[in-house]
Amino acid sequence: MGAGIVGCSLADELTARGWSDVTVLEQGPLPAPGGSTSHAPGLVFRTSPSKTLSAFATYTVQKFGALEVDGLPCFDPVGGLELATTPERWADLHRKAGYAASRGIRAELVGPARCKELWPLIDENKVIGGLHTPDDGLARAVPACRVQIERARARGARFLDRHTVTGIEQEAGRVTAVVTDQGAFPADHVVSAAGFWGPVIGRMAGVDVPLLPLAHQYAKTEPLPELAGVNDPRTEASKPILRFQDRDLYFREHTDRIGIGSYAHRPLPVDAFTVPAYDDAPQMPSSYPFTEEDFAPSWEDCAWLLPALRDSEVAEGFNGVFSFTPDGMPVLGESRTLRGFWLAEAVWVTHSAGVARAVAEWMVDGRPSLDVHECDLTRFEDAQRSPAYVADRGAQQFAEVYDVLHPLQPMEQPRPLRVSPFYARQQELGAVFLEGGGWERPHWYEANAPLLADIEVPARDAWSARHWSPIAAAEAKATREKVALYDMTPLRRLEVSGPGALAFLQRMTSNNLAKKPGAVTYTLLLDESGGIRSDLTVARLATDRFQIGANSPADLDWLLRHAPDDVHLRDITSGTCCVGVWGPLARDLVQPLTRDDFSHEAFGYFRARETYIGHVPVTAMRLSYVGELGWELYTSADTGLRLWDTLWEAGQQHGVIAAGRSAFNSLRLEKGYRAWGHDMTTEHHPYEAGVGFAVRMDRGDFVGRAALERLCSREGQGDASTARKLTALLLDDPAAVVLGKEPVHVDGVPAGYVTSASYGYTLGRCVAYAWLPPQETGASVHIEYFGEKVPATVAEEPLFDPKMTRIRR
């Protein structure tokens, strides 16, 4: 549903893969039916903090560049130019140049004079520099729709305009038809590519679409003498798309005029359910009246940068509607509650063809060829799906489109939303909270500042010092030397039970779970191609009852999709909590609080038992994500505070502290423990990611096994040699740090990128993990950090306690 740029691209991609029985329903007239595509300025820029969005945009450039209408390509590679007028933005452009280098995107940092050459109308005295991406440019969205309609029709697809969808029919949890004002259309698969009408279609299907339509201002100047005769009217532009992000503005040429887009104004939300029909709209449904008062400050900023505009004025403008989600990413995938109903929503022209290819692969082949977990419709927690949350966060995403955002930057509102039972105690200890998945997560505690007295921590640059404190070093040291309490409540917990539970989990995961009750196993969720969907810890608490430590709502969704009738799954996260008790004195703290034997001989590593800590019933698991002796202690939310207080009081004689995620991340990287979604995704198989030990090929079938067998056979060895490997790096300079996503240069050439990084306080060096071609231990590489080549050395894993003596004691 929807014949905008996403719907047309998807029809083209599906028919190219042999799905000829495709019908595209559109409420407006073709080829410009009045949605966001009809007014889109067509900017395509590929450099993004998200590797997935970069891949989507790269494919859009490739595909549209090969399509022609009336002798003109559907993409014009005029290039892109991002300007910096502040030191903060100039530093950010260096970071973006690193993203580009790690993803094979041509980009160069240029000075004011070169910026002036590329865009003669700018005042170069206002500019510090720019990032020039010569292969970015302008997509002609409506012509791209036209040619893809023709291609899809030639393969059997039909496009029906003037068909307004009024309902989605379903039976037994599957979609069966789309109802329109022109009749019903039976369907096995329905894709909502309705743009900002997505929530309307979603409501018909009973499927939540967390999307906020917002109006965005776009204006065109009067004809400018400086542009007279410069541009071919057929192509309109010859200069790069220009972005002045310090003032939330972008520019493109329209022959002898300049088009100006502004994100500087107040958010202007639009109710998708009240958008007028095509024939009732003054211009088109997605075009609202221009609010001149909102644009007035931006016009002053335009004239400040482009002095030629001082003698001009806005000739026309409109407020164009498009879509924002709570995290600014698209919403893609098939609903589990209504099988056969797919979403391809909140997609800009920039990413349109790439998204269409991914969804087509998903539908035809069962999975996209690249990792799309950041876009998966299941990614939002229930607490992030309320209309109020979607409205608040969608509006904030609009406001932050061009902001310089730190990787750890938390949202400001609504907070606090989700808190653990320990929240009050954490506040008393001066916890500094960041946010993730709606949870308040302590990153360090100001109460631990006195512990820094005997610790030297290298000074940091302004960027890496954001959302960080040297107190993390003290917390890491206390964990290594004494004992610390970590709030692990935000970790997702699932319960799987029933007579078929073991057989089901054996089928769905890669390791062997057929162990006696009390065993804990690290295992993987793989897809059919052997890609890593997630990693899990599975505790067998009884013959037919398991507790799973998972990563995201997508894990539960995946398991529910495959669960047989004799298996019951439920998410127990919100009703439970967890304290990690770790450090060499962990047993000294815990043992006096329980009548059970917590010795190494009686309670070994990767074992679990249900017991009591003081008055509190707990499920204790002997696990450690920080590389030290200890336990994860789980209990119900109502007894969580009592558990914390019991441990805290008993731990005073042992020097117990509360420690945060900043220290936690440092300690886990020293041990080489992977973080799914950062270090490994569906684009990686277990052997190259260094988690092949979690695959047991000497047992029955499991999802992904056949693909791994083919891989091993092709590589000619049992565990599959690879062309790339997740590689541990130690920065040579004890004071240097990187944060993640930076390019890694081997022999002077970009060869990979950093996945996770943190200063290793025990090692006295920053630890970085990176995807690289196989390297010898001791090899020298360079990590590009804000334009500086930082030397690093390939290290052997694990970096800390390789014999695991600290955990197994």
Side-chain angles (χ1 to χ4, degrees), residues 494-508:
L494 310 177
E495 183 182 80
V496 182
S497 59
L502 176 60
F504 169 64
L505 291 175
Q506 286 283 79
R507 165 67 180 157
M508 295 304 299

Side-chain angles (χ1 to χ4, degrees), residues 2-3 25-29 33 160-165 197 276-278 285:
L25 301 172
E26 171 55 58
Q27 64 180 338
L160 303 177
D161 62 1
R162 298 293 190 172
H163 281 62
T164 299
V165 176
W197 283 287
Y278 186 90

